[in-house]
Amino acid sequence: MNQPEVKLGEAIQFSADLQEIFVTDAGAVYQCDKQNRLLVNFAGSVAKLKVETFLRLKKAVDSIDLSTMAVNTGRCSDYELITVFGCEKLYVLTLPEIYSFKELLGGAKFVLQLNSMLHERLFAQPA
C-alpha cells in the first residue's frame, strides 16, 4: 500500500516515509520518521507538527466545551478559532468539525501511546 507524502500547500502525494497513524472520515494523521513530524490532514489542509505541538493542539481542542457551545445562541459561538504555538495553521471550526477533530486527535494520541508502550516492552533491556 502506498503511503502519502505531504507537502504543505500541495496535494498529498505518496511516499514510503509516512506511516498512517489514525484515520477517520474527517481526516488522517500520519507519522514521518524522516522529519520527526506528525502530519494532520483535516478540514482540507495539512499541518506538519512536532509531537509536542500535536499534544498542545490536542489539549487546546479538548479544552473546548462542546455542550456550552451547542446551547449558546450567540453568533460568536457558531465557530471556534484554534491555534497553538508551533503550528502555522489557524483552524476555524464549527461544532461538528470540532467534534470530528477531537475524535481524530484522540485516536491518533491513543495509537501513538500504544506504539510507545509496545516498543518499550518489546525492546526493553533486561536488568
Side-chain angles (χ1 to χ4, degrees), residues 50-65:
K50 292 182 179 179
V51 174
E52 300 82 26
T53 306
F54 171 82
L55 295 174
R56 281 194 298 269
L57 178 60
K58 183 182 178 326
K59 185 176 181 180
V61 171
D62 287 345
S63 71
I64 299 169
D65 185 356

Side-chain angles (χ1 to χ4, degrees), residues 21-22 54-55 58 104-114:
I21 298 296
F22 191 75
F54 171 82
L55 295 174
K58 183 182 178 326
L104 177 66
L105 298 177
K109 182 180 178 189
F110 172 79
V111 171
L112 290 169
Q113 288 175 324
L114 180 61

Side-chain angles (χ1 to χ4, degrees), residues 95-124:
L95 179 69
E97 290 171 327
I98 294 169
Y99 180 81
S100 296
F101 203 30
K102 279 187 178 193
E103 178 185 25
L104 177 66
L105 298 177
K109 182 180 178 189
F110 172 79
V111 171
L112 290 169
Q113 288 175 324
L114 180 61
N115 285 344
S116 178
M117 288 188 298
L118 289 172
H119 189 269
E120 287 175 13
R121 297 292 182 207
L122 292 173
F123 300 106

